[in-house]
Amino acid sequence: MKILVVGGGGREHAIIRALKKSPDCGEIWCAPGNGGISYDAKCRNIPATDVKAMVAFAKEQAFDYVVVAQDDPLALGMVDALAEVGIPAFGPNAAAARIEASKVFSKNLMKKYGIPTADYETFDDPAKVMAYIRAKNKYPVVIKADGLALGKGVLICQNEAEAEAGVQEIMLDKKFGASGNHVVVEEFLTGPEVSVLSFCDGKTIKPMVSSMDHKRALDHDEGLNTGGMGTVAPNPCYTPELAAECMEKIFLPTVAAMEKEGCPFKGCLYFGLMMTTDGPKVIEYNCRFGDPETQVVLPLLESDLLKIMLATTNGTLAETEVKFSSGAAACVILASGGYPVAYEKGKEISGLTEGQLTDAGDVTVYHAGTAIQDGKLVTHGGRVLGVTATAPTLEEALRKAYAATDRISFDKMHKRTDIGARALAAMR
Ligand code: AMP
Ligand code: GLY
């Protein structure tokens, strides 16, 4: 099969590497891709959000299958547009992508179908938001912009003044654009967070191995929120008992709810969960693979990813094997100094040959923000590389991943030194 993967980060690189293991995977392309991905796939510089140009390219190249990995093209209806020209694609249509693209939609869905989540109200009038928050007088309070906001549309406000500033930022200054026309105000939950990615074909759901993200920029979970500075899988907080409870109370009801609402979910449904003292609750849904969760989950997949993806599109997931190894994986992100605020690009990366370490064993370097300039591999984004190691135990995977990061360098490189520390502590 001739395949196109839409996107250009570490997640897409991990998807491409996993797809290439399939005997049915022939020529593979990535758009826009990046410098490091170009060692594994042919790249074409089309923005992932340019639905029209992407569909025209897919037609021109006669792709057999397109994997839409990024949230915004899914929300913009790229899967619908590809279907119109007869090209099957992995991922939800625009109606189903609302589960991530509109927090008002997803919160109302959970309320209607009794899926456990933080208590909330939705608003479109800034004055009413503050009246509600003042009346509740319970802090911290969480304010979320309705739409996609690059993972930054969530504010945790410690007091009234912070809430006022948050409402100003989201609803009046429109820091996240039209995403802030509506907001969700919800109760603050506490407990260990678990990410569970799952394959869905509209009716059947098969969860992947669980994982743990590290969202803050600095060690000890300090500093600003980022797209993710590292991940481990499996997540030791996610016991078999909790997995069974999530399946019964969250996963199956969500898939059934989407079908009942007339927008069955096909593709990868991501559950951002919090294990509270009242049981597991949904913090957020994403309509796609997580980044950098994918970089630890797919390396543990033993079954054929292409077969599974096709099964989600064709509605045959129930008969398709989804098997994970019993080992562990760890991914450490190497970022540009200053990320997630201001950082420089174009720094030469040393230590890699054709994007990978030599004699790396079970270590893979997934490229998030790299480019090739004058024949040299250089940094080209905030998150630059994700270094993933697999091993029989998490401890060994972390040791191997960190040892590998010591062999890679670029000017002002930043990494967290405590990825997996909380997971290891939870296992003791
Ligand atoms: P989201 O973009 O929805 O994943 O939110 C980003 C992060 O904010 C989550 O990973 C949580 O750590 C935190 N968060 C979101 N909603 C809540 C909540 N209701 N209570 C506590 N923390 C939250
Ligand atoms: N790592 C979190 C996300 O992909 O949304």
Side-chain angles (χ1 to χ4, degrees):
M1 293 182 83
K2 184 171 171 181
I3 300 171
L4 170 65
V5 176
V6 175
R11 162 184 55 205
E12 288 74 14
H13 198 184
I15 290 171
I16 287 165
R17 284 238 154 190
L19 285 172
K20 286 178 79 171
K21 290 192 207 150
S22 170
D24 298 325
C25 177
E27 202 175 313
I28 189 158
W29 286 71
C30 188
N34 67 39
I37 291 176
S38 70
Y39 296 113
D40 283 306
K42 292 187 186 176
C43 292
R44 177 65 67 93
N45 195 8
I46 301 168
T49 48
D50 192 339
V51 175
K52 226 173 141 189
M54 200 65 78
V55 173
F57 175 61
K59 258 174 78 178
E60 168 205 309
Q61 288 287 330
F63 286 109
D64 297 303
Y65 195 52
V66 178
V67 177
V68 183
Q70 208 174 298
D71 49 6
D72 23 15
L74 290 166
L76 290 168
M78 191 177 281
V79 169
D80 314 60
L82 286 162
E84 271 168 34
V85 299
I87 300 177
F90 177 82
N93 60 17
R98 284 180 300 166
I99 200 163
E100 171 172 5
S102 168
K103 292 207 192 280
V104 173
F105 173 84
S106 64
K107 292 298 287 191
N108 290 343
L109 184 87
M110 289 186 267
K111 188 182 270 180
K112 183 168 171 187
Y113 292 91
I115 298 163
T117 187
D119 282 339
Y120 74 101
E121 283 300 329
T122 62
F123 297 92
D124 51 17
D125 177 348
K128 289 198 177 137
V129 183
M130 278 321 294
Y132 171 82
I133 291 176
R134 283 194 197 98
K136 279 235 152 182
N137 194 30
K138 203 169 163 224
Y139 300 96
V141 64
V142 183
I143 306 177
K144 299 185 173 182
D146 174 48
L148 298 176
L150 294 168
K152 295 186 183 101
V154 175
L155 300 178
I156 296 174
C157 307
Q158 302 295 337
N159 51 46
E160 190 178 323
E162 279 187 30
E164 266 169 10
V167 170
Q168 175 76 32
E169 209 173 72
I170 295 179
M171 299 191 84
L172 299 166
D173 301 345
K174 297 263 189 269
K175 189 168 170 197
F176 308 107
S179 285
N181 290 347
H182 305 270
V183 296
V184 171
V185 177
E186 66 179 36
E187 89 182 290
F188 179 76
L189 300 176
T190 52
E193 282 187 59
V194 177
S195 305
V196 178
L197 317 185
S198 66
F199 293 108
C200 299
D201 70 355
K203 285 183 189 303
T204 300
I205 179 162
K206 295 200 172 176
M208 301 179 221
V209 64
S210 62
S211 53
M212 182 191 283
D213 194 5
H214 297 68
K215 285 209 163 87
R216 300 299 196 97
L218 307 175
D219 282 6
H220 315 298
D221 294 323
E222 286 169 10
L224 293 172
N225 255 322
T226 70
M229 291 299 294
T231 36
V232 299
N235 185 327
C237 305
Y238 192 64
T239 60
E241 293 72 30
L242 284 170
E245 193 178 347
C246 288
M247 182 57 110
E248 184 204 336
K249 294 184 178 153
I250 296 175
F251 304 162
L252 292 171
T254 300
V255 171
M258 291 297 279
E259 200 186 359
K260 278 218 186 81
E261 291 296 306
C263 49
F265 191 96
K266 295 181 169 203
C268 174
L269 183 53
Y270 168 131
F271 298 87
L273 304 167
M274 196 171 272
M275 304 300 144
T276 75
T277 47
D278 286 342
K281 294 192 181 183
V282 177
I283 289 281
E284 63 160 349
Y285 292 114
N286 290 324
C287 67
R288 47 157 180 94
F289 282 94
D291 190 341
E293 284 88 345
T294 308
Q295 292 91 310
V296 287
V297 169
L298 289 185
L300 297 175
L301 179 68
E302 286 180 343
S303 310
D304 183 323
L305 178 62
L306 180 54
K307 275 209 172 80
I308 300 170
M309 286 184 157
L310 290 167
T312 67
T313 307
N314 301 331
T316 53
L317 187 60
E319 302 97 80
T320 306
E321 182 199 71
V322 177
K323 190 167 170 266
F324 285 85
S325 94
S326 59
C331 174
V332 178
I333 298 291
L334 304 181
S336 299
Y339 172 75
V341 189
Y343 52 83
E344 294 163 33
K345 294 183 186 177
K347 309 282 185 193
E348 187 174 349
I349 300 168
S350 60
L352 302 178
T353 309
E354 300 205 328
Q356 297 297 319
L357 290 160
T358 47
D359 305 320
D362 299 323
V363 175
T364 308
V365 179
Y366 296 114
H367 289 243
T370 64
I372 296 172
Q373 276 169 14
D374 307 323
K376 286 180 184 150
L377 188 69
V378 299
T379 66
H380 196 65
R383 290 189 292 178
V384 177
L385 302 166
V387 180
T388 294
T390 56
T393 66
L394 178 58
E395 210 157 9
E396 211 178 322
L398 283 162
R399 192 182 47 71
K400 284 201 317 200
Y402 270 113
T405 65
D406 288 338
R407 297 170 57 193
I408 305 169
S409 62
F410 52 88
D411 185 31
K412 300 197 176 73
M413 181 175 107
H414 166 67
K415 66 185 169 203
R416 276 182 61 163
T417 65
D418 65 346
I419 300 302
R422 252 184 311 127
L424 289 178
M427 290 162 84
R428 272 178 212 125

mmCIF file of all heavy atoms in Angstrom, residues 11 71 100 151 195 197 213-215 226-231 270 284 286 288-294 383, ligand 2:
data_model
loop_
_atom_site.group_PDB
_atom_site.id
_atom_site.type_symbol
_atom_site.label_atom_id
_atom_site.label_comp_id
_atom_site.label_asym_id
_atom_site.label_seq_id
_atom_site.Cartn_x
_atom_site.Cartn_y
_atom_site.Cartn_z
ATOM 1 N N ARG A 11 5.340 12.384 17.041
ATOM 2 C CA ARG A 11 4.246 11.402 16.957
ATOM 3 C C ARG A 11 4.165 10.800 15.550
ATOM 4 O O ARG A 11 4.080 9.575 15.384
ATOM 5 C CB ARG A 11 2.940 12.121 17.287
ATOM 6 C CG ARG A 11 1.686 11.377 16.844
ATOM 7 C CD ARG A 11 0.446 12.204 17.127
ATOM 8 N NE ARG A 11 0.515 13.532 16.531
ATOM 9 C CZ ARG A 11 -0.159 14.585 16.976
ATOM 10 N NH1 ARG A 11 -0.950 14.482 18.004
ATOM 11 N NH2 ARG A 11 -0.037 15.755 16.375
ATOM 12 N N ASP A 71 -4.537 17.076 15.273
ATOM 13 C CA ASP A 71 -5.918 17.444 15.616
ATOM 14 C C ASP A 71 -6.578 18.435 14.657
ATOM 15 O O ASP A 71 -7.726 18.232 14.253
ATOM 16 C CB ASP A 71 -6.012 17.965 17.061
ATOM 17 C CG ASP A 71 -4.966 19.030 17.378
ATOM 18 O OD1 ASP A 71 -4.231 19.450 16.468
ATOM 19 O OD2 ASP A 71 -4.872 19.441 18.547
ATOM 20 N N GLU A 100 -12.740 16.334 20.774
ATOM 21 C CA GLU A 100 -11.600 17.144 21.229
ATOM 22 C C GLU A 100 -11.784 18.615 20.877
ATOM 23 O O GLU A 100 -11.443 19.493 21.673
ATOM 24 C CB GLU A 100 -10.283 16.661 20.598
ATOM 25 C CG GLU A 100 -9.127 17.627 20.881
ATOM 26 C CD GLU A 100 -7.748 17.155 20.460
ATOM 27 O OE1 GLU A 100 -7.641 16.074 19.838
ATOM 28 O OE2 GLU A 100 -6.768 17.863 20.770
ATOM 29 N N GLY A 151 -3.128 23.045 23.219
ATOM 30 C CA GLY A 151 -2.895 22.504 24.564
ATOM 31 C C GLY A 151 -2.725 23.570 25.630
ATOM 32 O O GLY A 151 -2.366 23.264 26.758
ATOM 33 N N SER A 195 -2.723 8.558 30.819
ATOM 34 C CA SER A 195 -3.171 8.689 29.428
ATOM 35 C C SER A 195 -3.442 7.289 28.885
ATOM 36 O O SER A 195 -2.598 6.403 29.029
ATOM 37 C CB SER A 195 -2.089 9.323 28.543
ATOM 38 O OG SER A 195 -1.678 10.564 29.066
ATOM 39 N N LEU A 197 -4.506 5.702 25.220
ATOM 40 C CA LEU A 197 -4.880 5.819 23.810
ATOM 41 C C LEU A 197 -5.633 4.541 23.462
ATOM 42 O O LEU A 197 -5.359 3.486 24.022
ATOM 43 C CB LEU A 197 -3.646 5.922 22.905
ATOM 44 C CG LEU A 197 -2.489 6.824 23.321
ATOM 45 C CD1 LEU A 197 -1.444 6.866 22.199
ATOM 46 C CD2 LEU A 197 -2.961 8.213 23.624
ATOM 47 N N ASP A 213 2.422 11.198 30.919
ATOM 48 C CA ASP A 213 3.073 12.354 30.292
ATOM 49 C C ASP A 213 3.736 13.198 31.384
ATOM 50 O O ASP A 213 3.410 13.052 32.564
ATOM 51 C CB ASP A 213 1.985 13.166 29.556
ATOM 52 C CG ASP A 213 2.555 14.188 28.592
ATOM 53 O OD1 ASP A 213 3.788 14.223 28.395
ATOM 54 O OD2 ASP A 213 1.758 14.965 28.019
ATOM 55 N N HIS A 214 4.647 14.065 31.013
ATOM 56 C CA HIS A 214 5.272 15.025 31.936
ATOM 57 C C HIS A 214 5.144 16.385 31.268
ATOM 58 O O HIS A 214 5.958 16.724 30.414
ATOM 59 C CB HIS A 214 6.740 14.660 32.174
ATOM 60 C CG HIS A 214 6.947 13.329 32.836
ATOM 61 N ND1 HIS A 214 6.651 12.141 32.201
ATOM 62 C CD2 HIS A 214 7.388 12.994 34.065
ATOM 63 C CE1 HIS A 214 6.919 11.133 33.034
ATOM 64 N NE2 HIS A 214 7.364 11.628 34.167
ATOM 65 N N LYS A 215 4.107 17.139 31.652
ATOM 66 C CA LYS A 215 3.747 18.332 30.879
ATOM 67 C C LYS A 215 4.585 19.569 31.197
ATOM 68 O O LYS A 215 4.753 20.428 30.340
ATOM 69 C CB LYS A 215 2.265 18.663 31.119
ATOM 70 C CG LYS A 215 1.317 17.720 30.387
ATOM 71 C CD LYS A 215 -0.008 18.406 30.043
ATOM 72 C CE LYS A 215 -0.768 17.639 28.982
ATOM 73 N NZ LYS A 215 -1.632 16.586 29.513
ATOM 74 N N THR A 226 3.945 22.468 28.806
ATOM 75 C CA THR A 226 4.477 22.295 27.450
ATOM 76 C C THR A 226 3.605 21.268 26.732
ATOM 77 O O THR A 226 2.657 20.747 27.312
ATOM 78 C CB THR A 226 5.915 21.735 27.495
ATOM 79 O OG1 THR A 226 5.847 20.366 27.942
ATOM 80 C CG2 THR A 226 6.803 22.529 28.426
ATOM 81 N N GLY A 227 3.976 20.927 25.519
ATOM 82 C CA GLY A 227 3.304 19.836 24.818
ATOM 83 C C GLY A 227 3.616 18.483 25.444
ATOM 84 O O GLY A 227 2.942 17.494 25.174
ATOM 85 N N GLY A 228 4.630 18.439 26.309
ATOM 86 C CA GLY A 228 5.053 17.167 26.920
ATOM 87 C C GLY A 228 6.566 17.041 26.824
ATOM 88 O O GLY A 228 7.135 17.163 25.746
ATOM 89 N N MET A 229 7.232 16.823 27.967
ATOM 90 C CA MET A 229 8.700 16.762 28.028
ATOM 91 C C MET A 229 9.221 15.337 28.151
ATOM 92 O O MET A 229 10.437 15.117 28.226
ATOM 93 C CB MET A 229 9.204 17.596 29.214
ATOM 94 C CG MET A 229 9.006 19.095 29.042
ATOM 95 S SD MET A 229 9.894 19.772 27.627
ATOM 96 C CE MET A 229 11.584 19.510 28.141
ATOM 97 N N GLY A 230 8.293 14.377 28.198
ATOM 98 C CA GLY A 230 8.733 12.996 28.290
ATOM 99 C C GLY A 230 7.549 12.124 28.676
ATOM 100 O O GLY A 230 6.537 12.628 29.173
ATOM 101 N N THR A 231 7.687 10.844 28.426
ATOM 102 C CA THR A 231 6.602 9.899 28.713
ATOM 103 C C THR A 231 7.190 8.556 29.127
ATOM 104 O O THR A 231 8.332 8.232 28.767
ATOM 105 C CB THR A 231 5.730 9.650 27.459
ATOM 106 O OG1 THR A 231 6.568 9.652 26.309
ATOM 107 C CG2 THR A 231 4.642 10.695 27.303
ATOM 108 N N TYR A 270 -8.137 9.284 22.559
ATOM 109 C CA TYR A 270 -7.199 9.463 23.668
ATOM 110 C C TYR A 270 -7.992 9.875 24.899
ATOM 111 O O TYR A 270 -8.733 10.856 24.849
ATOM 112 C CB TYR A 270 -6.206 10.530 23.230
ATOM 113 C CG TYR A 270 -5.274 11.139 24.253
ATOM 114 C CD1 TYR A 270 -3.911 11.232 23.987
ATOM 115 C CD2 TYR A 270 -5.730 11.695 25.452
ATOM 116 C CE1 TYR A 270 -3.035 11.829 24.878
ATOM 117 C CE2 TYR A 270 -4.853 12.282 26.352
ATOM 118 C CZ TYR A 270 -3.525 12.350 26.057
ATOM 119 O OH TYR A 270 -2.664 12.945 26.929
ATOM 120 N N GLU A 284 -9.865 15.068 29.828
ATOM 121 C CA GLU A 284 -10.064 15.511 28.449
ATOM 122 C C GLU A 284 -10.058 14.312 27.512
ATOM 123 O O GLU A 284 -9.513 13.258 27.836
ATOM 124 C CB GLU A 284 -8.948 16.477 28.019
ATOM 125 C CG GLU A 284 -7.578 15.820 28.030
ATOM 126 C CD GLU A 284 -6.526 16.519 27.189
ATOM 127 O OE1 GLU A 284 -6.862 17.426 26.411
ATOM 128 O OE2 GLU A 284 -5.352 16.143 27.291
ATOM 129 N N ASN A 286 -8.919 13.441 23.499
ATOM 130 C CA ASN A 286 -8.303 13.926 22.269
ATOM 131 C C ASN A 286 -8.708 12.977 21.153
ATOM 132 O O ASN A 286 -8.902 11.782 21.392
ATOM 133 C CB ASN A 286 -6.776 13.964 22.382
ATOM 134 C CG ASN A 286 -6.309 15.064 23.337
ATOM 135 O OD1 ASN A 286 -6.909 16.132 23.400
ATOM 136 N ND2 ASN A 286 -5.267 14.793 24.090
ATOM 137 N N ARG A 288 -7.062 11.899 18.636
ATOM 138 C CA ARG A 288 -5.830 11.528 17.898
ATOM 139 C C ARG A 288 -4.829 10.926 18.867
ATOM 140 O O ARG A 288 -5.022 10.966 20.074
ATOM 141 C CB ARG A 288 -5.250 12.815 17.322
ATOM 142 C CG ARG A 288 -5.267 13.864 18.461
ATOM 143 C CD ARG A 288 -4.355 14.974 18.365
ATOM 144 N NE ARG A 288 -4.504 15.853 19.518
ATOM 145 C CZ ARG A 288 -3.771 15.789 20.621
ATOM 146 N NH1 ARG A 288 -2.799 14.888 20.728
ATOM 147 N NH2 ARG A 288 -3.971 16.610 21.637
ATOM 148 N N PHE A 289 -3.750 10.404 18.330
ATOM 149 C CA PHE A 289 -2.646 9.922 19.158
ATOM 150 C C PHE A 289 -2.037 11.092 19.942
ATOM 151 O O PHE A 289 -1.965 12.202 19.426
ATOM 152 C CB PHE A 289 -1.538 9.339 18.278
ATOM 153 C CG PHE A 289 -1.805 7.952 17.762
ATOM 154 C CD1 PHE A 289 -2.379 7.757 16.519
ATOM 155 C CD2 PHE A 289 -1.458 6.849 18.514
ATOM 156 C CE1 PHE A 289 -2.610 6.476 16.033
ATOM 157 C CE2 PHE A 289 -1.680 5.566 18.041
ATOM 158 C CZ PHE A 289 -2.258 5.376 16.801
ATOM 159 N N GLY A 290 -1.573 10.846 21.154
ATOM 160 C CA GLY A 290 -0.899 11.878 21.938
ATOM 161 C C GLY A 290 0.552 12.026 21.508
ATOM 162 O O GLY A 290 1.159 11.103 20.974
ATOM 163 N N ASP A 291 1.091 13.186 21.777
ATOM 164 C CA ASP A 291 2.488 13.462 21.487
ATOM 165 C C ASP A 291 3.086 14.052 22.762
ATOM 166 O O ASP A 291 2.655 15.132 23.146
ATOM 167 C CB ASP A 291 2.570 14.449 20.315
ATOM 168 C CG ASP A 291 3.979 14.622 19.786
ATOM 169 O OD1 ASP A 291 4.933 14.286 20.514
ATOM 170 O OD2 ASP A 291 4.134 15.103 18.660
ATOM 171 N N PRO A 292 3.982 13.384 23.468
ATOM 172 C CA PRO A 292 4.821 12.242 23.094
ATOM 173 C C PRO A 292 4.367 10.869 23.641
ATOM 174 O O PRO A 292 5.206 9.971 23.761
ATOM 175 C CB PRO A 292 6.168 12.611 23.698
ATOM 176 C CG PRO A 292 5.844 13.384 24.946
ATOM 177 C CD PRO A 292 4.495 14.009 24.722
ATOM 178 N N GLU A 293 3.083 10.666 23.908
ATOM 179 C CA GLU A 293 2.642 9.334 24.344
ATOM 180 C C GLU A 293 2.900 8.274 23.269
ATOM 181 O O GLU A 293 3.314 7.145 23.566
ATOM 182 C CB GLU A 293 1.142 9.335 24.672
ATOM 183 C CG GLU A 293 0.786 9.992 25.992
ATOM 184 C CD GLU A 293 0.561 11.484 25.868
ATOM 185 O OE1 GLU A 293 0.944 12.081 24.832
ATOM 186 O OE2 GLU A 293 0.009 12.076 26.811
ATOM 187 N N THR A 294 2.630 8.649 22.010
ATOM 188 C CA THR A 294 2.805 7.702 20.897
ATOM 189 C C THR A 294 4.227 7.134 20.855
ATOM 190 O O THR A 294 4.423 5.966 20.508
ATOM 191 C CB THR A 294 2.496 8.431 19.571
ATOM 192 O OG1 THR A 294 1.225 9.050 19.726
ATOM 193 C CG2 THR A 294 2.466 7.484 18.399
ATOM 194 N N ARG A 383 10.253 21.519 20.724
ATOM 195 C CA ARG A 383 10.638 20.142 21.018
ATOM 196 C C ARG A 383 11.404 19.661 19.791
ATOM 197 O O ARG A 383 10.903 19.749 18.661
ATOM 198 C CB ARG A 383 9.398 19.293 21.281
ATOM 199 C CG ARG A 383 8.733 19.679 22.604
ATOM 200 C CD ARG A 383 7.648 18.712 22.998
ATOM 201 N NE ARG A 383 6.490 18.769 22.116
ATOM 202 C CZ ARG A 383 5.424 17.984 22.245
ATOM 203 N NH1 ARG A 383 5.375 17.077 23.198
ATOM 204 N NH2 ARG A 383 4.402 18.089 21.424
HETATM 205 N N1 GLY B 2 0.731 14.845 25.305
HETATM 206 C C1 GLY B 2 -0.575 15.394 25.363
HETATM 207 C C2 GLY B 2 -1.262 15.501 24.080
HETATM 208 O O1 GLY B 2 -0.859 14.968 23.064
HETATM 209 O O2 GLY B 2 -2.295 16.153 24.037
#
